[in-house]
Amino acid sequence: MSHWDLVILGIVIASNNFSVALALGTMGQWKRVARILIVFGGFEFFIPLFGAYLGQYFAQFVEAYASAIGGGLLIGLAIYVFYGTFISQPADREEWAQRTSTWWGLLGLAFGLSLDNMMVGLSLGFSDESPWLVATVIAMSSVVFSAIGLRFGTFLNQYFVFYSQLFSSLLLFFLGVATLLGWM
């Protein structure tokens, strides 16, 4: 695997984190940027390493359900953001955004987003590439893309609240469907 292949891998994997961070940014969660980046970056680092050391038996089980769990989580988040855009009151949206960006809420999001990365780690277990290097590239890409998503979402929320939440919900929904169908 060349250095460019690693960079492309990091960017592709970080796109999920960008989408979720964009949604969190549109919900006004820039104030929790450190927490979000620590959780997302930590999962993106350790999950591929964990996958690299899994056995073949467990790999088949995880592979069968990773897309369903990750896609379902993204679609669920999309539905909630969409619901909040049209139905809920601003106080309800803020309460949900705060619950989502607690340590436990972020751990759940990061876990769902990282399941497909376990498969990347599994494939690394059969290659000559250092799992530590790949995990580092993936984590760094995730942190950078999550920060960009949070910042851009915050900007959109300041000026285009309704449209930014609608855009985030649609983006998350299509990302969830793509994950379910195995396109991501």
Side-chain angles (χ1 to χ4, degrees):
M1 185 179 291
S2 75
H3 294 304
W4 286 111
D5 291 338
L6 281 174
V7 170
I8 291 169
L9 176 68
I11 290 170
V12 168
I13 289 177
S15 65
N16 288 355
N17 295 74
F18 172 80
S19 300
V20 173
L22 180 69
L24 290 172
T26 62
M27 292 186 285
Q29 297 308 300
W30 177 257
K31 58 191 167 213
R32 293 177 178 88
V33 65
R35 178 185 303 173
I36 294 166
L37 296 182
I38 288 169
V39 171
F40 283 8
F43 265 83
E44 297 297 321
F45 181 77
F46 288 109
I47 293 294
L49 287 176
F50 181 66
Y53 297 108
L54 281 180
Q56 284 293 75
Y57 174 75
F58 190 65
Q60 292 172 355
F61 174 78
V62 171
E63 185 174 23
Y65 297 103
S67 293
I69 294 170
L73 179 68
L74 290 171
I75 290 172
L77 181 59
I79 290 169
Y80 193 83
V81 172
F82 189 80
Y83 165 79
T85 302
F86 289 101
I87 297 171
S88 71
Q89 300 299 317
D92 296 335
R93 286 193 295 268
E94 179 62 27
E95 179 186 336
W96 186 83
Q98 286 178 355
R99 279 187 284 161
T100 302
S101 58
T102 64
W103 286 104
W104 287 110
L106 288 172
L107 287 170
L109 278 174
F111 178 74
L113 290 170
S114 298
L115 286 176
D116 58 339
N117 298 352
M118 192 177 305
M119 302 319 298
V120 171
L122 282 165
S123 66
L124 292 173
F126 303 111
S127 74
D128 294 333
E129 197 62 55
S130 164
W132 293 97
L133 174 64
V134 174
T136 301
V137 169
I138 290 171
M140 289 173 57
S141 300
S142 172
V143 168
V144 168
F145 275 67
S146 294
I148 292 169
L150 277 167
R151 184 35 107 188
F152 187 58
T154 300
F155 168 77
L156 289 175
N157 190 44
Q158 288 174 340
Y159 299 104
F160 310 102
V161 176
F162 174 80
Y163 295 109
S164 67
Q165 291 178 347
L166 181 62
F167 173 74
S168 292
S169 67
L170 293 174
L171 180 65
L172 287 168
F173 179 78
F174 288 120
L175 185 61
V177 169
T179 302
L180 277 173
L181 296 175
W183 298 343
M184 303 255 341

